[in-house]
Amino acid sequence: MSSKGSQRVAHEEAMDITEGKSGLWGALAGLVVFALIAVPLSASFAFATHPHSQQLFANRLSDATAGGYQAFWWVVTIFLFALPFLVGYLVAKLSVKSLVVVGAIFALFVIAIMILGQMFVF
């Protein structure tokens, strides 16, 4: 055996700076999304908690019931509040399974908003 054959060959590997940091990236993404939706979130919460705000929409919502109006805005508020957590989870996991879970939750909320909107608002 030659001396070269018995020596171990050292491989240089690039350092992965994202290793073990996916939770922090998810939290950062969630925080950015929360900052972007803060105003719509507060508006939807105000519409959900003050039934007299229905008058702000003039003739468009004159036939809607107060309960339907509030239910619609509560669903929107819950979705907007959950959105930063869903985005953070998605960024942290980035797997097919997490994409399916987040997509299913998003689809259910969109369907609920569409149904409530058709029944009570429009």
Side-chain angles (χ1 to χ4, degrees):
M1 259 192 187
S2 67
S3 62
K4 281 188 174 182
S6 63
Q7 293 177 348
R8 292 186 177 181
V9 177
H11 293 284
E12 286 189 31
E13 293 183 21
M15 189 170 126
D16 186 12
I17 61 170
T18 61
E19 184 179 338
K21 306 281 189 202
S22 63
L24 293 175
W25 284 111
L28 179 63
L31 184 63
V32 168
V33 169
F34 186 77
L36 292 174
I37 64 155
V39 172
L41 178 63
S42 66
S44 66
F45 183 75
F47 293 150
T49 56
H50 300 299
H52 297 297
S53 64
Q54 185 174 0
Q55 297 170 354
L56 294 173
F57 294 96
N59 295 334
R60 199 75 175 145
L61 299 176
S62 61
D63 295 333
T65 63
Y69 177 79
Q70 285 181 318
F72 174 79
W73 285 112
W74 274 115
V75 170
V76 171
T77 301
I78 290 168
F79 172 70
L80 286 174
F81 186 74
L83 190 62
F85 297 103
L86 292 173
V87 169
Y89 178 77
L90 179 67
V91 169
K93 296 298 178 185
L94 287 178
S95 69
V96 174
K97 185 178 177 182
S98 64
L99 285 171
V100 169
V101 168
V102 171
I105 292 171
F106 180 76
L108 288 174
F109 273 115
V110 168
I111 290 169
I113 289 170
M114 294 293 287
I115 290 172
L116 286 171
Q118 291 297 318
M119 286 176 46
F120 298 110
V121 179
F122 300 110

